[in-house]
Amino acid sequence: MNLRFILFFLFTTLTPYAQNELPIPVIPLPEDSPTDPTDAPEPILPEDRDPTPSVTMPNHFKITGQPGFKIKDGRQIATFSGGISARTDTGLQAFANRADWDIDNQTVQLSGNVKIFQDGLIYRGASATYNLKTREFETANLRTGLDPILLQADNLRIENKTEDGKNDQRTLISENAGITTHDVENPDFWLRAKKLTVLPDNTVIFKDFTFEIGDKKYFWLPYLVQPLDEQLGYLPVPGARTNLGFFLKNRYGIMLGGHTNPDTGQKEDAWLLSHWHADLYTSRGLGLGLDLFDTRLHSEDQFGFLKLQHLYDFDPNNTRAGIPRSNVNPNRYRANFTHHLHLFDTPTSAYHLDANLTLLSDEFYLEDFDPTQFQLNRAPDNYLAFTRRTPNTFTSLNTRIRLNDFYQTDTRLPELSHDFIRQPIFNSPFLYESQTSLGLYDEHLTYLQKNSLRNEALLLPLGDPRLAEINNLLDDRGFARFHTYHELSAPLKFGHLNVTPRLGAGHTNYFAVQGQNSDTSNTHLSLGLDLSTKISKAYPHIQNKKWGLNGLRHTIQPYTSLSYLSTNELDSTFHRIDRLTPTTRPRPRQVGRFTAIDDLQNWSVLRLGARNHLLTKRNGTTHQWLTLDTYLDAFIDDPEFNRSFSNLYNDLRWSPVPWLELELETQFPLFSDSNFTEVAAGLSYQPISDLELNLSYRHLKNHPILRDSDRVELDAFWRINPYWGIGTRHRFELTDSTMELQQYSLHHDFDSFVGSIGFFHRNNRVEDEYGLMLSFGIKEIPSLSLPIRLGTE
């Protein structure tokens, strides 16, 4: 169970003591107390009777009430009754039915409907004892509240240690303590401990911890040490997945480094956050791991961590998607080191060190144990880089290495690059930019690919043309490359017409080429011309509150862009490394933005388009009510598919009101040589306050490389009433009539608790996957939950 919330609220509620006294917040005073504790009268001691002539009440504690005197067990006791009030010099105020001042021991015991106030916080209990010497309160049957937390304890005391002359080492100790957020006479649940200690370093120690609902105990730990920081302490995550079985992931976080204070025994100035993992899977075994985080790197510009995991897998060939696998080593592991470190600055530049290294035991590790990362990037990159950034330049010395031989990847050992950001030349109207790189490059097939090609070659007869293709694929494909490109542009304006001519030139030289190919070089010459104008008209009379219109301005921006590139194209047998990858979107047609250097080819492209904007006023600013960008490319020389025209592209975004938003990207062929159709749409719609719908659709047909697809996804959540809610998620592939995912969840508010239960079914086409989802939390504290997710990523 996640106990982080306990620590946070106990700390904020019980530790900010002022000068060794009790804490803080505001709860109304009881009806039988003064309406304002500060209005309580000054102490009244009887003038006609002095119970202790030789002893007077210390100045820091004053009390009022009906006085009396008695002798008990040989001790002098001054009594106050009839509804007493007391006040300390720190502002603490107390009310009770009776007070007994033990003159010999210098203690004042309050009893009967005790209420203690300080800075708005109220404590209620049967009795409380104030030590006049130490100025400390000890309480019995204490119950206190700070929204949304209520605390009850049989006894509460504060121990103080002085360091450097200051009483800043406070330890709070409570016995038979319980906390809850259900603020009724008989709460539904309690989190209890026989002894609860809050240390000065914000660590809470529970002894004999139990979680109770009603009069039943549902969770028990004999001993729990939990820091207030959510990254520290114990975090269990139970769950289940089809290929893993039931599991319990256990994480314990502690701080390392720093030095130990000899007085408190606590670590100070610790900077290394460590997460220790012990994950138990019923189908896979026990996994152990350690994550280390450098907490000295707080800003978004720098971070650093090292993650190590290992598991001896009972069933490494068990697959999640049903695709057969074999000969997977049962020793499964991952080592991941990522760092972005700011080194130093000079008056004109900043220097950084970047590292991203991932070592995996096999190509199935991420699929089995980190499916979220597997979906994002199933072949993690491995690189080191030293960078220098100035306002106008970016320089990088980097290396990309191959740690995992089961991925096809390229290496750069090393690569030096230097970019000039577009900038004016000596305050002239001309702008200059450039990109230059030099490096040693290579690419490696996976061992499975190599074995497959070799086995295929053994079965082919001599003279088969396929043998030459296989030998070419198996050849070494490394080379050294120097590439540079420079471009000048001049933004000009003629009335309402914006004109930007561009002229660029570059050179790429390949040397030390391995394999069948020889050294070669390419020279690039690029010309470009951009034209655009803008026309707008206002319609202030258009008003429609329902559709979010408060006046309307229509802006249309016709534009055209001509791009021409002449270069020496590489031979088709040359092994390209920085090459094009399949996509449905148009390629960039500026050489400086074209990262596939090895695939630079002759092109002549004219883009024609128009951008439409509908603007309205909202919340004192201009709101983009609708935007539409429509364009197509006319090819004089098409470098990829030998077309005359591209598809007609439309990129639309419509956001009229907060409860409705539509994004739509389409491309349709206008001519016979345009080759595919694509529609990608996303709709967010909230027809009523209790119903939210998210619909997405993607249609792809006749793409020359990518598969046809007709996919619909629908997410819905319906809040039936204040207590019940239903959520659903469906993903359906129309091309083969497959319901790829269906997920249902039911949510209920149990007054003090919030719970959810769900079921999902994923059709992987080879093997189906099933799972359950379960979550549980305390309503007033969203951070308190059992992080149970069964069968999900």
Side-chain angles (χ1 to χ4, degrees):
M1 174 178 171
N2 186 352
L3 302 176
R4 295 171 290 176
F5 78 101
I6 301 173
L7 314 175
F8 172 79
F9 283 104
L10 285 177
F11 173 67
T12 55
T13 306
L14 301 176
T15 58
Y17 305 99
Q19 295 190 10
N20 308 335
E21 304 294 346
L22 287 174
I24 345 185
V26 108
I27 297 176
L29 295 177
E31 294 180 358
D32 57 348
S33 301
T35 57
D36 185 350
T38 60
D39 295 335
E42 293 295 321
I44 301 176
L45 292 177
E47 296 181 358
D48 58 343
R49 182 181 179 185
D50 184 357
T52 55
S54 62
V55 181
T56 58
M57 180 75 74
N59 292 331
H60 63 79
F61 189 86
K62 298 179 180 180
I63 190 168
T64 63
Q66 184 66 36
F69 180 78
K70 65 181 181 179
I71 302 295
K72 182 179 180 180
D73 297 331
R75 292 180 289 111
Q76 302 178 80
I77 307 293
T79 63
F80 302 85
S81 59
I84 65 96
S85 65
R87 180 186 303 162
T88 71
D89 59 354
T90 62
L92 183 147
Q93 299 170 59
F95 302 87
N97 295 336
R98 179 183 177 88
D100 293 334
W101 174 20
D102 188 330
I103 300 174
D104 298 325
N105 294 324
Q106 287 295 289
T107 61
V108 178
Q109 182 177 2
L110 308 179
S111 59
N113 195 24
V114 177
K115 305 173 186 68
I116 302 173
F117 296 84
Q118 184 175 19
D119 298 331
L121 185 65
I122 182 172
Y123 295 85
R124 296 184 177 93
S127 64
T129 301
Y130 185 77
N131 191 310
L132 295 172
K133 296 179 180 178
T134 63
R135 303 187 184 188
E136 294 178 350
F137 252 108
E138 293 188 3
T139 59
N141 300 317
L142 173 72
R143 183 168 180 172
T144 184
L146 173 63
D147 188 33
I149 290 292
L150 298 174
L151 168 67
Q152 186 181 61
D154 288 348
N155 186 40
L156 175 72
R157 68 180 186 274
I158 305 165
E159 295 182 355
N160 295 274
K161 291 185 178 181
T162 301
E163 183 174 318
D164 298 331
K166 299 180 180 179
N167 292 326
D168 55 359
Q169 299 295 316
R170 305 181 184 91
T171 298
L172 182 146
I173 301 174
S174 59
E175 298 176 356
N176 293 325
I179 65 171
T180 184
T181 61
H182 196 199
D183 191 7
V184 296
E185 182 177 358
N186 297 306
D188 288 344
F189 73 95
W190 285 97
L191 300 161
R192 297 189 182 277
K194 285 190 175 180
K195 184 176 181 181
L196 184 149
T197 304
V198 181
L199 299 177
D201 68 342
N202 306 337
T203 298
V204 181
I205 301 175
F206 297 91
K207 291 185 178 180
D208 198 3
F209 171 83
T210 58
F211 174 58
E212 300 178 4
I213 299 179
D215 57 354
K216 296 182 179 180
K217 298 179 180 181
Y218 287 90
F219 190 82
W220 174 81
L221 285 174
Y223 186 84
L224 177 64
V225 179
Q226 185 73 30
L228 298 181
D229 190 330
E230 63 178 9
Q231 295 294 330
L232 302 178
Y234 177 59
L235 173 66
V237 181
R241 273 221 327 260
T242 304
N243 64 321
L244 301 178
F246 292 94
F247 59 77
L248 176 63
K249 297 183 178 182
N250 301 278
R251 189 198 79 186
Y252 195 85
I254 60 175
M255 296 298 298
L256 303 176
H259 66 279
T260 302
N261 187 310
D263 296 327
T264 65
Q266 303 300 314
K267 283 280 188 178
E268 296 182 356
D269 302 322
W271 57 271
L272 187 63
L273 170 63
S274 65
H275 286 166
W276 302 80
H277 298 270
D279 303 335
L280 181 62
Y281 304 90
T282 58
S283 298
R284 297 301 183 92
L286 175 65
L288 302 176
L290 171 63
D291 302 341
L292 300 174
F293 302 87
D294 189 345
T295 60
R296 296 171 299 182
L297 311 177
H298 296 295
S299 71
E300 296 180 357
D301 294 332
Q302 51 186 356
F303 54 87
F305 60 82
L306 171 66
K307 298 182 178 181
L308 306 171
Q309 292 96 28
H310 177 267
L311 175 141
Y312 187 85
D313 198 340
F314 294 160
D315 190 8
N317 294 320
N318 187 354
T319 174
R320 173 171 172 256
I323 301 175
R325 65 173 75 160
S326 61
N327 301 321
V328 179
N329 193 313
N331 282 300
R332 316 287 299 278
Y333 57 83
R334 171 173 60 176
N336 177 215
F337 175 68
T338 300
H339 214 320
H340 179 70
L341 179 63
H342 176 250
L343 298 177
F344 58 90
D345 291 331
T346 68
T348 59
S349 58
Y351 295 83
H352 292 83
L353 179 65
D354 295 322
N356 190 356
L357 303 172
T358 302
L359 175 66
L360 300 174
S361 59
D362 54 81
E363 64 267 41
F364 306 111
Y365 183 92
L366 294 179
E367 179 184 357
D368 290 345
F369 301 105
D370 195 350
T372 301
Q373 179 63 29
F374 178 75
Q375 291 180 351
L376 296 175
N377 183 12
R378 63 183 60 190
D381 205 357
N382 288 282
Y383 68 86
L384 298 168
F386 173 76
T387 64
R388 174 181 180 269
R389 184 185 294 274
T390 71
N392 296 320
T393 66
F394 181 78
T395 306
S396 173
L397 176 63
N398 67 84
T399 179
R400 180 180 293 167
I401 59 179
R402 187 189 190 209
L403 295 180
N404 306 302
D405 62 1
F406 38 81
Y407 295 138
Q408 181 175 341
T409 183
D410 63 270
T411 59
R412 299 160 191 261
L413 301 170
E415 180 185 49
L416 176 65
S417 63
H418 181 74
D419 295 349
F420 275 99
I421 302 170
R422 184 181 297 174
Q423 53 194 282
I425 302 176
F426 303 116
N427 297 321
S428 71
F430 295 99
L431 302 179
Y432 169 77
E433 63 178 296
S434 70
Q435 299 84 36
T436 302
S437 62
L438 172 66
L440 299 174
Y441 307 86
D442 203 349
E443 186 176 38
H444 305 272
L445 298 178
T446 69
Y447 64 89
L448 290 177
Q449 290 172 322
K450 291 181 178 179
N451 291 339
S452 177
L453 289 170
R454 291 186 181 116
N455 291 334
E456 182 184 354
L458 292 175
L459 300 176
L460 295 175
L462 293 176
D464 192 306
R466 174 61 177 161
L467 285 173
E469 296 178 8
I470 292 177
N471 290 331
N472 186 45
L473 291 173
L474 291 174
D475 272 344
D476 293 332
R477 50 186 68 193
F479 54 77
R481 186 186 67 204
F482 171 76
H483 171 76
T484 185
Y485 177 77
H486 307 261
E487 184 176 281
L488 293 174
S489 60
L492 305 173
K493 192 174 183 65
F494 301 95
H496 295 287
L497 182 64
N498 300 306
V499 180
T500 304
R502 291 178 282 108
L503 172 64
H507 181 76
T508 305
N509 186 33
Y510 299 88
F511 54 98
V513 177
Q514 301 174 2
Q516 301 178 7
N517 300 108
S518 58
D519 296 359
T520 185
S521 62
N522 299 333
T523 300
H524 320 295
L525 177 64
S526 174
L527 300 174
L529 180 65
D530 299 333
L531 302 173
S532 67
T533 189
K534 183 183 293 186
I535 306 170
S536 65
K537 185 175 181 179
Y539 301 91
H541 61 281
I542 297 181
Q543 302 284 331
N544 191 313
K545 186 176 181 180
K546 179 179 179 180
W547 291 102
L549 288 172
N550 181 17
L552 191 67
R553 176 178 290 275
H554 179 205
T555 300
I556 182 172
Q557 183 182 13
Y559 64 91
T560 184
S561 177
L562 174 65
S563 178
Y564 168 82
L565 174 64
S566 175
T567 185
N568 310 106
E569 300 180 12
L570 292 175
D571 185 85
S572 60
T573 63
F574 194 94
H575 291 299
R576 295 163 172 80
I577 293 180
D578 288 325
R579 56 181 177 267
L580 294 173
T581 56
T583 182
T584 62
R585 303 302 297 171
R587 307 286 187 185
R589 292 307 175 196
Q590 294 186 28
V591 178
R593 308 292 183 268
F594 200 87
T595 58
I597 296 173
D598 300 332
D599 260 335
L600 282 171
Q601 304 176 57
N602 295 330
W603 72 59
S604 297
V605 183
L606 177 66
R607 175 165 295 182
L608 303 171
R611 299 184 183 94
N612 284 272
H613 300 269
L614 295 180
L615 310 174
T616 189
K617 298 177 182 178
R618 183 170 300 173
N619 299 326
T621 62
T622 300
H623 174 68
Q624 294 270 9
W625 194 81
L626 182 144
T627 61
L628 174 63
D629 189 6
T630 303
Y631 55 96
L632 84 161
D633 292 335
F635 296 101
I636 303 171
D637 186 358
D638 181 9
E640 290 190 78
F641 304 117
N642 197 28
R643 298 165 294 177
S644 297
F645 294 94
S646 72
N647 291 334
L648 177 65
Y649 298 91
N650 287 281
D651 300 337
L652 179 142
R653 184 179 184 274
W654 182 41
S655 180
V657 287
W659 46 266
L660 178 64
E661 182 173 336
L662 172 67
E663 292 187 3
L664 178 64
E665 293 181 355
T666 67
Q667 50 179 308
F668 299 102
L670 297 181
F671 306 96
S672 58
D673 58 353
S674 299
N675 48 26
F676 67 94
T677 301
E678 181 185 32
V679 177
L683 174 68
S684 296
Y685 179 44
Q686 193 172 2
I688 57 176
S689 59
D690 293 329
L691 178 62
E692 182 176 349
L693 303 172
N694 290 282
L695 176 66
S696 62
Y697 172 68
R698 185 170 188 257
H699 169 82
L700 182 63
K701 185 176 181 180
N702 296 328
H703 192 277
I705 300 175
L706 303 177
R707 292 183 301 178
D708 289 355
S709 177
D710 257 317
R711 177 174 293 179
V712 180
E713 293 190 39
L714 175 63
D715 292 350
F717 183 81
W718 178 28
R719 188 170 181 264
I720 302 173
N721 56 45
Y723 298 97
W724 290 95
I726 296 176
T728 66
R729 184 180 185 188
H730 293 81
R731 184 169 69 236
F732 189 74
E733 179 58 57
L734 300 173
T735 55
D736 58 1
S737 301
T738 300
M739 181 69 76
E740 295 182 337
L741 175 67
Q742 46 186 323
Q743 179 176 306
Y744 309 91
S745 58
L746 179 66
H747 310 266
H748 184 60
D749 184 342
F750 295 92
D751 190 14
S752 56
F753 302 101
V754 178
S756 301
I757 187 171
F759 167 81
F760 84 87
H761 169 220
R762 180 180 286 109
N763 187 339
N764 295 317
R765 291 179 174 80
V766 179
E767 181 177 307
D768 287 359
E769 187 178 4
Y770 297 89
L772 294 174
M773 297 174 294
L774 176 65
S775 64
F776 170 82
I778 291 182
K779 181 179 178 181
E780 292 85 351
I781 313 174
S783 61
L784 172 62
S785 63
L786 293 178
I788 303 175
R789 297 178 62 84
L790 290 84
T792 68
E793 287 107 41

